[in-house]
Amino acid sequence: MRIVLVEPSHPGNIGGAARAMKTMGFGDLALVRPKRFPDPQAEWRAAGATDVLRAARVFDSVDEAVADCALVAGTSARRRRIPLPVDSAADFAARVTSTGAAGSPLAVLFGREDSGLTNDELERCTRHVVIPAHPGYASLNLAMAVQVVCYELFKVQSVASEAHEQRWDRPLASAAELAGFHAHLEEVLVAIEFEDPKAPRRTMTRLKRLFGRVELDETEVAILRGVLTHVQRAMRKRR
């Protein structure tokens, strides 16, 4: 599992997140445009998890950070105009195991300390994850939020590793494969004049949400793209 911190502003939170990850057996930390990294405060907060911190990779965009991941979840405490499927941290961990996604690259995105993830970043996710908290004050420190999610995943994955069952016959499609499919689909929708790029609607947002709920595997994405390619060929022949 990969923990992705998007534009963290305080290096102490980066170190705290690294420590939280290591206590639950996770070591893949990705940072998207961190304000201060590397930094002595991050090293200090990481305590015995400096190996996780030093192995952290820095990316220029969310897309780069999750390109090889089959499942991308975004943590969010706010309702959105077009909501994506939402799980509590515990339900999300159980879902990952029950669908077989635990054996595929998985990323969980955590947003900025002051504003979280943007709508555009959340649209790149297949699910939203929330940590239930008191409605009067539901704000969690970044490292604490990482700790809760890692703990829930650790619990269910520990049980699953004992069973070691194969739950699916194909790996789930990666984020890069899904992004390619979404772009291909939008290209065809514009070509058949279902979508007008000069007056865009929220069609693609809803279609991304639809396919995200299905949790497509890499073969299914290849089949869908094959269908789109045949549509394009048929259109060229008619012209």
Side-chain angles (χ1 to χ4, degrees):
M1 183 193 70
R2 181 174 307 155
I3 293 295
V4 182
L5 307 184
V6 180
E7 295 186 355
S9 61
H10 197 292
N13 284 329
I14 299 174
R19 183 174 183 177
M21 291 169 61
K22 187 167 183 177
T23 59
M24 295 297 122
F26 300 114
D28 190 354
L29 175 62
L31 307 173
V32 178
R33 299 186 300 274
K35 297 291 178 63
R36 291 163 52 194
F37 184 81
D39 188 278
Q41 288 191 47
E43 296 269 347
W44 175 72
R45 283 287 303 279
T50 51
D51 55 331
V52 175
L53 195 65
R54 290 167 184 169
R57 292 172 292 166
V58 177
F59 296 90
D60 291 327
S61 70
V62 170
D63 285 341
E64 291 178 8
V66 303
D68 62 330
C69 295
L71 181 64
V72 181
T75 55
S76 176
R78 292 183 287 141
R79 292 186 175 275
R80 306 289 166 163
R81 181 180 175 186
I82 299 180
L84 285 177
V86 177
D87 286 326
S88 69
D91 289 342
F92 170 71
R95 181 184 299 279
V96 168
T97 302
S98 66
T99 60
S104 303
L106 160 70
V108 183
L109 273 58
F110 294 82
R112 303 152 189 82
E113 289 94 332
D114 58 346
S115 59
L117 296 169
T118 66
N119 287 337
D120 186 55
E121 289 161 349
L122 284 168
E123 282 191 13
R124 286 163 168 74
C125 304
T126 49
R127 302 201 73 82
H128 289 178
V129 178
V130 298
I131 299 173
H134 191 281
Y137 189 66
S139 177
L140 279 176
N141 170 269
L142 176 58
M144 291 179 181
V146 172
Q147 182 75 78
V148 171
V149 172
C150 287
Y151 170 67
E152 295 294 351
L153 284 162
F154 171 76
K155 284 196 303 181
V156 296
Q157 290 184 16
S158 295
V159 173
S161 64
E162 295 176 3
H164 195 63
E165 298 177 6
Q166 178 66 38
R167 290 181 168 83
W168 203 245
D169 63 336
R170 293 288 188 277
L172 292 180
S174 68
E177 289 168 335
L178 286 174
F181 165 61
H182 294 153
H184 196 173
L185 176 59
E186 186 170 15
E187 179 183 342
V188 172
L189 292 179
V190 171
I192 64 176
E193 298 181 353
F194 184 86
E195 185 83 336
D196 183 359
K198 296 180 180 179
R201 300 172 290 173
R202 304 293 292 179
T203 302
M204 283 306 303
T205 297
R206 291 186 180 277
L207 287 173
K208 289 176 184 178
R209 180 176 66 175
L210 168 64
F211 288 113
R213 288 203 305 269
V214 177
E215 294 179 340
L216 298 167
D217 66 36
E218 59 185 20
T219 301
E220 291 164 342
V221 168
I223 291 170
L224 288 170
R225 294 201 65 173
V227 172
L228 295 174
T229 298
H230 275 71
V231 170
Q232 291 171 315
R233 288 175 183 169
M235 291 176 64
R236 285 194 291 268
K237 287 180 180 179
R238 290 183 180 180
R239 290 170 184 163

